């Protein structure tokens, strides 16, 4: 489904990604781990199309079509979802209004009519229950004054609403207490299917106890230095990253 | 990448045409240009006014002749040549109209383009509309329903004939002819406007609405609005403004006076979309308006305005909180683009005890525009326990525009509590990327963020207007989609 | 003859007396300044910048412009007004004349001396040509007036890489040798790259006679230099002060001006900061505690011209009796000044009915990527706090005084010279009637 080929990218002439190769198939969960500064967040930003980063070499393909020439919103319409490490606050715009706009824009891009208000409300109710979200958050300004955990839960709620093909969870576990972590992980697991894929970017293996990966990749200096199954995460937890360098 | 960047947006904004810029070809009865005592008398005659009214106008004209045009506002423009303006222009009507069916079909088309199909409105929504084109009120709807409750809602020219005692008692009491240059000019030459009186204890069952439109070229529009809410009554009043796109600047100098007697409440909302001039800053309306309201005991006046139009705006809807426990509110969103200039705000004059005022002002500047907030909060020595909260937020789009705040706070009573806050911000790159990632393109994202920014003000508008206002914000900032 | 006429007609006499080379640049500057003053005259209430301060009653006095000097003033008369607890350089002026006997100047590592000698000695010609009257605002009639009559004042010239080892105190005394006197001190401060200086300035009337001081200070802060300037305004009830201070900053410099206004009949502070480089920080702090019919008008301007700069402004006011406070803070962010952080805060308490505060915090923003805010409050003391203190047995008046003291404290906290801090704390306590009981 997603194919990353020899991807080089950087910011202001500074190279961060130095040739990443990765293949992700439908139905799979991949975990990308690595120490601070290894390029994990850059990778997710580049896939989502953040123009702060410049791609200097290589390609990213979704269903055999390159994503690199597409604007972030076009990538989103094709089913890329990034759960932000630091979700952005938008004062005055309610979560409901925001997600409604996002869904209808996606539908428009795919030649569909706006979702009728009734169906939208039903969907919102359903998905917010899945994430055990307090309904009052939905009518508050997006992420404004939300705690870290509430913001992350809101990200997964949006993911549930948008039903992406490929979801990238960037440090979704940071700032979550164990109960919130379980809820979020539970939400993600319920959304998994044979047609979609999930990339979990994390520093610790804690989240991987709840979202069990099929593959684990270790990123170091902008390259994947080791890949393996879920047991690799446990090994990393025990030994740290130093032995890989 | 084919991403829609802020530069693209800027380009689109510049090329965006004024959506309401059409000219209705109606035969007009127009005065020759220029202003003199004779013209003032002629206007008064034309309107068949009683002597006292003519005298009142002439006094105002005398005052105006001795006044200088003010220049303290943070705006630059070529001063209007007052002798080159025609002070009266009315669509020619063969006879007085009894129903809408008799209205000139060209005119009705105009209304439709304005988005006010009167028929539709009549059937679907609960809004009574008075429409002023150029200088004359052409249609007032819902008269019958209002009459049943004793509510008077009619062109002020008719009110002068039919209710002289009310007009005489209140006209010019809140905005005296001597108040300022434009108010004096208006008092001398106003030709029409709306008059509204809500009797004691009556809650007006529907929104009252006036649409103002300048149609004829080379004319000025000087309408006069007088709203009186008698003791314990309530009214919500809406006002909308448009004008065709023209190369020359046209002058609009209106006066609005509100009187809220004991325990009464007036909610006055404006959606102002006068032609703002083209992208080179040519043409557009000079909007120099004096709006003021007086609150007696326990009364409340709430001004809400959405300002997207006009080349130059000079406007400070104000409240004189005379009665104890009276309340004044001002909610404003002003959007400027291209070469627009706006200097707008409010005055809250606290005279009574326990008076309260709230000011929420939001400014969005784009293009090469300048957007200023100017406000005064004044607490008189006798006003015990006065409260004011003011918040002025500015959003800047691009580095060619300006956002300015000039609040004046004058407090002479030690029991007052005043809080003023102002912030300036831009739309963050991170906010745009976040929206993009969720599939919302930049143009839509900006509209969403601006709407969020304006929400506290938009929320104060009556439903019928809120949707229109929201659209207007998108139009003025977004450019046409696709 | 009104004061303006008197001043204008005295100008020639003044220049002749001054013994200055009439070909010098300074002469031209003066001439232009007096012409400007003659054209503009004193500002009136019609002037937007003066709408809340009326100079008219003050200008009715028949001021003597060239007072006789009182030679009898000795150290014992002035010592209370010095911060004695610290070593310092001192520049003492008596009725506008420098007293070398009472002062402690230096030319060792830096010049701490007087402007009269700087204006006349060839050695300083370059400094004078480069700096004198270059930022004192043109077409500002009051600073023009001062420029025209510039005769004496502090001249502080710090070369680069110099940490001035002790603070500099500038004290201007009037002795009442004349019934009504007008003084026009003029200070020039130039601080070189990487240098650091602390300056304390005070105007003091030693008599009950009337004094009007029209003071102008120009401060130049070069690359990475740090300047702390403290103004103590605690003069007698017949003393009025118009102070205009202009600060020009180069890249990465930090300049702070602190203004403590407790005394005087009428005080007008014009404080203007011009940022001429990137990564500059400007700090403006002030506290006014007024009673009777005192009037203090703080007019500030921060002009952000370059990217990545900051300004922090905090002014507090406590107004009792029939006193009047004015705060007019203007922040301009020019188009090039992206990434500016500008904060302004003005908090006021009116103690008595009859006291007035007029506030006008203004932002003029021409750049989009900036963080600017201002806040202004007018209010009373926290009733709950007051009740809490009373319920612990603290009498109401004392509780009020303590709360007011606390209200002003965050401005005092910014003082970097401990001895000065405790002096200012004491002055505040005195003015509020707080018994501190022990040294803070």
């Amino acid at each position: 489904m997603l194919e990353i080929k020899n991807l080089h990218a950087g910011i202001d002439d500074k190279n961060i990604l130095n040739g990443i190769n990765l293949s992700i198939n439908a139905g799979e969960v991949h975990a990308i781990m690595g120490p601070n500064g290894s390029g994990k967040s850059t990778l997710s930003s580049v896939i989502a199309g953040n123009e702060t980063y410049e791609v200097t070499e290589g390609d990213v393909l979704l269903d055999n079509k390159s994503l690199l020439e597409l604007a972030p919103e076009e990538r989103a319409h094709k089913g890329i979802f990034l759960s932000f490490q630091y979700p952005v606050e938008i004062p005055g715009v309610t979560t409901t209004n925001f997600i409604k706009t996002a869904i209808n824009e996606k539908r428009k891009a795919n030649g569909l009519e706006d979702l009728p208000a009734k169906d939208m409300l039903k969907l919102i109710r359903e998905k917010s229950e899945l994430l055990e979200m307090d309904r009052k958050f939905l009518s508050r300004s997006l992420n404004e004054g939300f705690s870290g955990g509430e913001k992350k839960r809101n990200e997964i709620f949006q993911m549930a609403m948008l039903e992406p093909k490929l979801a990238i969870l960037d440090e979704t576990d940071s700032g979550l207490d164990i109960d919130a972590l379980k809820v979020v992980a539970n939400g993600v697991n319920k959304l998994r299917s044979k047609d979609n894929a999930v990339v979990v970017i994390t520093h610790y293996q804690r989240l991987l106890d709840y979202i069990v990966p099929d593959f684990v990749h270790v990123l170091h200096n902008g390259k994947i230095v080791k890949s393996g199954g879920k047991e690799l995460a446990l090994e990393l937890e025990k030994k740290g990253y130093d032995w890989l360098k | 990448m084919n991403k829609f960047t802020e530069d693209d947006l800027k380009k689109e904004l510049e090329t965006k045409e004024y959506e309401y810029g059409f000219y209705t070809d109606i035969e007009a009865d127009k005065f020759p240009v220029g202003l003199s005592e004779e013209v003032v008398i002629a206007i008064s005659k034309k309107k068949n006014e009683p002597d006292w009214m003519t005298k009142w106008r002439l006094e105002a004209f005398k005052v105006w002749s001795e006044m200088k045009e003010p220049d303290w506002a943070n705006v630059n423009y070529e001063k209007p040549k007052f002798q080159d303006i025609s002070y009266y222009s009315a669509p020619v009507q063969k006879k007085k109209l009894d129903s809408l069916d008799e209205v000139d079909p060209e005119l009705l088309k105009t209304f439709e383009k304005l988005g006010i199909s009167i028929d539709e409105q009549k059937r679907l929504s609960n809004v009574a509309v008075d429409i002023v084109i150029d200088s004359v009120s052409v249609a007032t709807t819902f008269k019958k329903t209002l009459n049943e409750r004793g509510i008077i809602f009619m062109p002020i020219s008719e009110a002068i004939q039919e209710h002289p005692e009310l007009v005489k008692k209140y006209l010019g009491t809140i905005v005296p002819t001597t108040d300022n240059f434009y108010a004096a000019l208006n008092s001398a030459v106003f030709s029409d406007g709306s008059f509204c009186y809500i009797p004691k204890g009556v809650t007006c069952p529907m929104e009252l609405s006036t649409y103002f439109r300048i149609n004829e070229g080379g004319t000025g529009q000087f309408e006069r609005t007088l709203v009186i809410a008698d003791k314990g009554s309530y009214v919500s009043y809406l006002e909308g403004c448009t004008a065709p796109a023209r190369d020359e600047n046209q002058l609009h100098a209106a006066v609005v006076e509100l009187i809220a007697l004991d325990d009464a409440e007036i909610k006055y909302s404006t959606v102002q979309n006068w032609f703002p001039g083209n992208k080179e800053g040519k043409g557009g309306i000079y909007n120099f308006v004096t709006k003021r309201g007086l609150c007696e005991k326990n009364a409340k006046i709430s001004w809400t305005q959405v300002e997207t139009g006009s080349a130059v705006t000079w406007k400070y809807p104000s409240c004189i909180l005379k009665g104890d426990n009276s309340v004044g509110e001002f909610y404003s969103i002003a959007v400027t683009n291209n070469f627009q200039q706006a200097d707008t705000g409010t005055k809250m004059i606290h005279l009574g005890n326990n008076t309260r005022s709230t000011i929420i002002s939001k400014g969005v500047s784009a293009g090469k525009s300048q957007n200023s907030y100017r406000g005064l909060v004044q607490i008189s020595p006798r006003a015990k326990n006065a409260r004011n909260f003011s918040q002025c937020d500015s959003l800047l789009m691009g580095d060619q525009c300006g956002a300015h705040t000039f609040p004046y706070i004058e407090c002479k009573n030690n029991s007052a509590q005043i809080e003023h806050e102002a912030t300036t911000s831009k739309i963050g790159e991170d906010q745009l990327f976040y929206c993009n990632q969720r599939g919302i393109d930049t143009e839509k994202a900006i509209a969403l963020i601006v709407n969020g920014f304006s929400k506290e003000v938009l929320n104060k508008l009556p439903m019928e207007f809120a949707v229109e206002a929201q659209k207007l914000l998108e139009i003025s900032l977004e450019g046409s989609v696709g | 003859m009104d004061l303006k006429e008197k001043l204008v007609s005295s100008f020639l006499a003044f220049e002749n007396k001054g013994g200055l080379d009439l070909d010098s640049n300074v002469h031209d500057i003066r001439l232009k300044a007096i012409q400007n003053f003659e054209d503009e005259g004193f500002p009136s209430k019609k002037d937007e910048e003066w709408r809340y301060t009326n100079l008219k009653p003050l200008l009715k006095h028949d001021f003597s412009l060239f007072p006789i000097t009182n030679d009898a003033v000795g150290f014992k008369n002035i010592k209370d007004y010095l911060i004695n607890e610290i070593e310092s350089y001192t520049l003492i002026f008596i009725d506008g004349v420098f007293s070398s006997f009472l002062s402690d100047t230096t030319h060792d590592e830096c010049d701490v001396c007087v402007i009269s000698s700087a204006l006349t000695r060839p050695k300083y010609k370059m400094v004078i040509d480069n700096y004198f009257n270059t930022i004192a605002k043109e077409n500002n009639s009051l600073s023009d007036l001062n420029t025209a009559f510039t005769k004496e004042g502090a001249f502080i010239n710090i070369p680069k890489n110099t940490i001035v080892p002790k603070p500099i105190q500038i004290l201007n005394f009037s002795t009442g040798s004349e019934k009504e006197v007008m003084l026009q001190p003029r200070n020039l401060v130039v601080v070189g790259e990487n240098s650091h200086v602390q300056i304390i300035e005070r105007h003091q009337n030693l008599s009950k006679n009337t004094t009007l001081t029209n003071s102008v200070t120009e401060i130049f802060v070069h690359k990475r230099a740090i300047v702390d300037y403290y103004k103590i305004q605690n003069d007698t009830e017949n003393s009025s002060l118009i102070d205009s201070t202009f600060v020009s900053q180069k890249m990465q410099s930090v300049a702070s001006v602190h203004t403590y206004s407790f005394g005087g009949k009428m005080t007008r502070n014009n404080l203007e900061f011009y940022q001429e480089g990137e990564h500059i920080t400007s700090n403006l702090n002030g506290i006014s505690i007024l009673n009777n019919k005192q009037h203090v008008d703080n007019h500030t301007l921060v002009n952000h011209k370059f990217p990545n700069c900051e300004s922090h402004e905090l002014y507090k006011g406590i107004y009792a009796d029939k006193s009047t406070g004015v705060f007019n803070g203007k922040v301009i962010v020019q188009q090039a000044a992206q990434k500016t952080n500008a904060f302004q805060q003005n908090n006021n308490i009116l103690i008595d009915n009859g006291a007035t505060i007029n506030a006008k915090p203004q932002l003029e923003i021409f750049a989009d990527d900036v963080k600017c805010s201002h806040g202004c409050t007018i209010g009373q003391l926290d009733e709950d706090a007051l009740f809490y203190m009373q319920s612990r047995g603290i009498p109401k008046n004392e509780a009020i005084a303590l709360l007011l003291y606390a209200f002003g404290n965050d401005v005092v906290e910014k003082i970097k010279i401990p001895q000065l801090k405790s002096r200012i704390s004491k002055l505040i306590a005195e003015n509020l009637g707080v018994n501190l009981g022990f040294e803070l």
Side-chain angles (χ1 to χ4, degrees), chain C residues 4 18 28 64-65 81 100 110 113 160 182 209-211 231 234 267 278 291 294 328-329 388 427 429:
Chain C
K4 181 186 161 189
D28 294 343
S64 115
L65 304 177
Y81 305 105
S100 56
C110 53
C113 58
K160 59 176 164 183
M182 180 171 181
N209 289 348
T210 301
T211 304
K231 291 170 178 288
N234 191 32
T267 306
E278 293 197 33
N291 56 24
Q294 287 182 301
N328 186 116
Y388 182 82
L427 280 177

Side-chain angles (χ1 to χ4, degrees), chain A residues 129-142:
Chain A
E129 273 163 18
L130 177 72
L131 273 300
E132 298 176 31
M133 272 174 84
D134 193 333
R135 206 73 62 73
K136 72 174 189 264
F137 284 111
L138 298 172
S139 53
R140 274 171 50 183
S141 288
L142 186 67

Side-chain angles (χ1 to χ4, degrees), chain A residues 115-177:
Chain A
L115 193 66
K118 205 179 86 213
D119 299 349
M120 184 75 76
L121 283 174
K122 192 171 156 249
L123 194 64
I124 288 173
R125 196 174 310 132
E126 206 178 287
K127 302 295 185 185
S128 60
E129 273 163 18
L130 177 72
L131 273 300
E132 298 176 31
M133 272 174 84
D134 193 333
R135 206 73 62 73
K136 72 174 189 264
F137 284 111
L138 298 172
S139 53
R140 274 171 50 183
S141 288
L142 186 67
N143 291 327
E144 202 182 36
F146 284 25
S147 72
E150 285 158 1
K151 282 183 185 173
K152 293 295 169 70
R153 206 182 287 205
N154 190 294
E155 291 292 284
I156 304 303
F157 164 70
Q158 292 182 39
M159 171 183 158
M161 290 293 289
L162 289 164
E163 296 177 336
K165 217 178 251 176
L166 177 80
I168 306 164
L169 312 183
D170 189 0
E171 305 268 358
T172 296
D173 51 335
S174 68
L176 290 187
D177 62 38

Side-chain angles (χ1 to χ4, degrees), chain B residues 325-398:
Chain B
N325 313 316
S326 58
V327 177
E329 293 176 340
F330 174 77
Y331 301 98
S332 169
I333 163 89
V335 178
T336 55
N337 197 358
N338 295 324
F339 285 86
Q340 280 178 274
Q341 306 177 59
D343 193 300
T344 179
T346 182
K347 292 180 185 178
M348 294 291 174
I349 312 293
H350 292 253
L351 301 174
N353 293 330
N354 308 314
T355 45
R356 282 179 289 138
S357 63
T358 305
I359 300 170
I360 307 284
S361 170
K362 305 267 179 179
V364 180
S365 328
K368 295 192 161 115
S369 68
Q370 299 296 331
N371 201 333
S372 302
Y373 167 82
R374 186 181 302 276
L376 169 68
V377 174
Q378 194 177 59
I379 314 289
S380 93
R382 281 163 296 130
K384 275 195 202 124
N385 298 318
R387 298 279 178 273
N388 163 265
F389 175 76
S390 308
Q391 189 185 325
C392 305
D393 297 324
S394 307
L395 191 67
L396 290 112
M397 295 171 66

Side-chain angles (χ1 to χ4, degrees), chain C residues 434-440:
Chain C
V434 181
N435 183 4
L436 291 178
F438 50 89
E439 285 285 312
L440 285 176

Side-chain angles (χ1 to χ4, degrees), chain B residues 405 407-411 416 418 420, chain C residues 48 52 359 361 363 376 378 380:
Chain B
T405 331
Y408 294 70
I409 303 160
E410 303 177 0
C411 176
I418 299 173
H420 172 95
Chain C
E48 176 65 24
Y52 296 122
L363 294 175
C376 175
I378 300 171
Q380 299 79 40

Side-chain angles (χ1 to χ4, degrees), chain B residues 74 370 376 381 384 387 396-426, chain C residues 48 51-52 330 335 338 350-380:
Chain B
N74 189 25
Q370 299 296 331
L376 169 68
K384 275 195 202 124
R387 298 279 178 273
L396 290 112
M397 295 171 66
D399 59 0
Q400 303 286 310
C401 55
H404 317 290
T405 331
F406 304 96
Y408 294 70
I409 303 160
E410 303 177 0
C411 176
K412 289 188 193 298
N413 187 293
N414 68 338
S415 60
Q417 267 188 25
I418 299 173
E419 260 179 85
H420 172 95
E421 283 169 24
T423 64
T424 299
S425 57
K426 65 174 274 188
Chain C
E48 176 65 24
R51 68 186 274 147
Y52 296 122
K330 191 190 278 191
Q335 199 182 331
Q338 295 291 1
L350 296 183
I351 307 275
D352 295 302
N353 218 357
T356 301
I357 168 73
N358 296 313
K360 195 183 163 200
Q362 308 167 62
L363 294 175
E364 293 191 47
I365 316 283
F366 296 92
D368 59 337
D369 192 8
V370 298
K371 279 194 192 123
C372 298
S373 67
H374 69 217
C376 175
T377 62
I378 300 171
Q380 299 79 40

